[in-house]
Each structure stands twice: as structure tokens, then as C-alpha cells.
Amino acid sequence: MARDDGKAKGDVGEGAAKKRATINDIARLAQVSKKTVSRVINRSPFVKEETRVKIEAIIEELGFAPDPQARGLAFRRSFLVGMIYDQPNPQYVVDMQQGVLEALRGSGYELVVHPCSRTSPQFLSDIRAFVERQKLYGVVLPPSASEDERLIELLDELDCHYVRIASVSLDEPASMLVTHDDAGAAEAARHLAELGHTRIAHISGPALFRSAHIRREGFVRGLKEHGLDLEARYSLEAGYTFESGADAGAKLLDMQPRPTAVFTGNDEMALGVFKAARERGLRIPEDLSVVGYDDSPMASRVWPNLTTVRLPIRDMGRMAAEKLLLQSSEDSRAAARAASDVRPALVVRESSGRPPA
């Protein structure tokens, strides 16, 4: 709708008071909130069609074009991306952080990392304070923080973008990166069964982590494909740490009969089993086969090199951050179209072999 009243397109006001139109002007003229205007600008589907048409007509009439820097100020958002993690494995955190930084390079956004504890009574209040204090654009959520629905509800309340990384799909494709941990664990089970092992143990991660359950389920499924069961006494829970893996490994290796192979929920625990085996004079893989999960840098640095399931953690951080940045794209479907899946793969090295005669 054209208007010939002497005002330049995009100007609001009279005489010397003329100025460029702002989001406040559009909200006032449309008699809606600034948040509703921002949703229309960002192509959000959560706006009534009648309201959308009205706001778009005013934007067109005023020739309003939002500036990215100005939008950050107007919506009280900084150019900061958070990474919120509850993860006992420091190498995992470092790899994830490197991937996020790779995606943010050249984007104008910076990374702020925030460790947390989901079991703390202050968990949600601490996250609220962190997001509000930093005025975050959005957050990347590795497991197990990604699995906490209370946290997701809080981020929705704060209107903070997020991308979750988890072993199974928990959200819409635009906000989700799925790692299919069960498929990798099933591969590990098939590998050990095909080598001829029948007394096979599993050390899972902590019960708080969904990945621990999903990896165990995949491992059990892979064993069943070869007519094998995971005996209850050979199934232990640990803490995704080297120390907890060593403790669990000691318990398994002191059993009679002891297992001939151990699959652990991550590489840190697998290296703990290495320690327990050597303390008992056992050779790897001649006396005991060990398979880990993640393919951390240490997997190819220990001797014998660790057979493990490769999960590209650095790539996962990069992909999640790229998807997060796309959530502010003018094309609201861009984040949903971005890659949402990571497929694990078994990497066979020297730590697995045929069972002892």
C-alpha cells in the first residue's frame, strides 16, 4: 500500500523528527508486542495468519530492513553461544568445544562454556542465571544436559535457541542431532561374537545418561543376533571415567570364570580395564579383548591400540553449532534441512582378538 505524504520510505515522524523505522514503530502501529514482530521477521510458524499479514504490510510500507547488529541489541541478545554440559569425560568436552569453535569462526559469534550438574538443587536456577546474564543467542547441549526436559522447558521460556545432541531423537529436526549410539554398540557386540567370544562383559556409563542405556540396549541386541546373552553378573555400571572403569574392570577380572571380552561405554573406562588387566598379569588381547566407544585420541596412542566405536565428537560439535546458527536464518526451514544424523562406526585395532584356548 503506497502512501504519498512526503515521507521517505522507512521514515517515521514529522519534519525534523523523521527517523528510520524501528521494530518498536512496527509493534506500535500493528498493536502487537515486539516479540510478535520478531517472530514474523524470523518466519516463525507460531503467528496467526491475520497478524502476520498485518505486520508484513506495515514492514513493506515502511521499508523496514532489520540490521543483524541492531537486532541483537533490540532483543537483548549478545553474539554469544553457550555450551552447557554435564560430562565427566574432559576429552569429550574439549573435542566438542573445538567443533563448536570451528563452526563459529568468522560468524561474529563467540563461545561461552558452562559446566553444570543435573543432580544439583540449583541446576535450573544456575542455567537461568547463566543464559540471562550472558544474554545468549543460543546454546549447544551435549549429552546428558541435552536429555533433560526441564532444561528444554526453561530455554523455551527464555526464548533461547538450542540444539540438542543425543543418542535418540528427542526434538524437532531443527533442534536435534542424533548419534544412533545403539547401532555402534551392536557393531561392537557382533565383532566380539564373530571372534568367538561367549563370556562377554559390559561396563555401562552412569544411569543418568540416556546414552548409557541406549548403548547397552544396542549391545544386547547385537549379542542376541549371535545367540548370546549378556549375563547379569557380567553387566556393571560405572561413571564414564578412567577410575570407575578400573574399579569395574577389577571386579570383572576377579570373577571365576572371568569374561574373555569386555565392551565399555566409552574409551576412558576401557583404558581403566587395561589397568586392571595389567595389574593381574593379563595380556591384551591374548587373555582379554577390550572394546571401547568414542574413538578418543587416546585410543590410537595406547598399546595395544584400542578397538572402539568411532563417534566423531568434534564433527558433532561443529554440526550442532552450524544448525544453531541457521535457526536465525530468514529461511525458517534451513535448520531442519541441515544434517541431523551422525552414524557411529567400529574401528578394529589390536585390543580385540580371539578368546584364549
Side-chain angles (χ1 to χ4, degrees):
M1 178 171 63
R3 183 172 67 187
D4 185 12
D5 56 5
K7 291 183 182 179
K9 191 176 185 181
D11 288 349
V12 177
E14 298 296 335
K18 286 193 293 187
K19 58 183 177 63
R20 296 293 298 174
T22 68
I23 194 169
N24 289 323
D25 297 319
I26 296 168
R28 175 175 52 80
L29 292 170
Q31 295 182 319
V32 298
S33 68
K34 287 196 299 181
K35 186 170 184 177
T36 300
V37 177
S38 74
R39 284 179 170 171
V40 171
I41 293 171
N42 289 295
R43 307 292 194 270
S44 169
F46 303 110
V47 180
K48 292 181 179 178
E49 186 61 24
E50 179 184 352
T51 303
R52 182 190 304 280
V53 170
K54 181 179 180 181
I55 292 172
E56 287 178 342
I58 295 172
I59 289 174
E60 173 66 21
E61 182 177 355
L62 298 182
F64 174 76
D67 174 74
Q69 184 73 28
R71 284 170 64 189
L73 295 173
F75 301 123
R76 295 178 56 78
R77 288 287 186 266
S78 68
F79 286 85
L80 294 176
V81 167
M83 188 177 91
I84 299 173
Y85 66 90
D86 180 9
Q87 171 59 249
N89 183 351
Q91 186 63 57
Y92 186 103
V93 175
V94 169
D95 291 344
M96 182 69 63
Q97 179 177 323
Q98 288 177 338
V100 173
L101 288 171
E102 183 179 328
L104 297 184
R105 192 171 296 121
S107 69
Y109 288 86
E110 301 293 341
L111 176 64
V112 185
V113 297
H114 186 79
C116 66
S117 172
R118 291 174 59 199
T119 59
S120 168
Q122 288 78 42
F123 169 59
L124 292 178
S125 59
D126 286 348
I127 299 300
R128 178 186 290 275
F130 170 61
V131 172
E132 292 180 338
R133 181 172 61 251
Q134 301 292 343
K135 300 181 175 63
L136 297 179
Y137 158 76
V139 293
V140 172
L141 301 173
S144 71
S146 63
E147 301 160 0
D148 198 302
E149 296 302 327
R150 299 171 302 162
L151 174 57
I152 300 306
E153 290 175 6
L154 174 62
L155 294 173
D156 283 337
E157 177 191 334
L158 296 174
D159 197 23
C160 182
H161 298 293
Y162 62 83
V163 171
R164 310 164 77 171
I165 303 171
S167 51
V168 294
S169 182
L170 302 171
D171 215 313
E172 298 297 324
S175 302
M176 195 73 236
L177 187 67
V178 184
T179 57
H180 303 280
D181 291 24
D182 59 329
E187 277 199 63
R190 295 184 196 108
H191 172 64
L192 291 173
E194 288 164 5
L195 286 172
H197 292 276
T198 56
R199 294 200 308 274
I200 305 173
H202 174 50
I203 302 175
S204 70
L208 185 66
F209 281 66
R210 185 185 293 261
S211 61
H213 300 280
I214 297 300
R215 291 177 187 184
R216 187 183 188 280
E217 290 170 7
F219 188 66
V220 169
R221 187 179 75 242
L223 291 179
K224 285 188 179 298
E225 291 174 9
H226 290 267
L228 300 174
D229 292 318
L230 176 61
E231 293 184 37
R233 61 175 176 156
Y234 290 153
S235 179
L236 301 181
E237 178 185 326
Y240 275 156
T241 64
F242 174 87
E243 293 78 12
S244 67
D247 290 343
K251 292 176 183 177
L252 289 171
L253 299 181
D254 287 340
M255 292 180 180
Q256 292 297 332
R258 65 172 179 260
T260 62
V262 179
F263 168 60
T264 63
N266 74 351
D267 292 346
E268 286 283 321
M269 295 191 299
L271 298 183
V273 174
F274 271 41
K275 176 177 183 289
R278 286 179 177 141
E279 288 175 345
R280 287 155 178 77
L282 299 176
R283 300 165 300 164
I284 298 173
E286 292 85 357
D287 301 314
L288 179 72
S289 289
V290 181
V291 178
Y293 204 111
D294 285 343
D295 195 22
S296 64
M298 284 303 297
S300 57
R301 295 173 186 168
V302 296
W303 184 256
N305 290 173
L306 178 65
T307 295
T308 184
V309 178
R310 182 174 190 271
L311 201 57
I313 297 168
R314 181 167 179 166
D315 290 345
M316 288 155 46
R318 174 183 53 78
M319 293 167 67
E322 288 173 349
K323 186 180 280 282
L324 182 68
L325 296 182
L326 285 172
Q327 290 184 8
S328 65
S329 168
E330 290 186 2
D331 180 355
S332 61
R333 296 166 296 179
R337 289 199 301 265
S340 298
D341 292 273
V342 174
R343 296 289 175 177
L346 182 69
V347 180
V348 178
R349 298 193 179 101
E350 290 82 9
S351 72
S352 55
R354 297 193 63 80

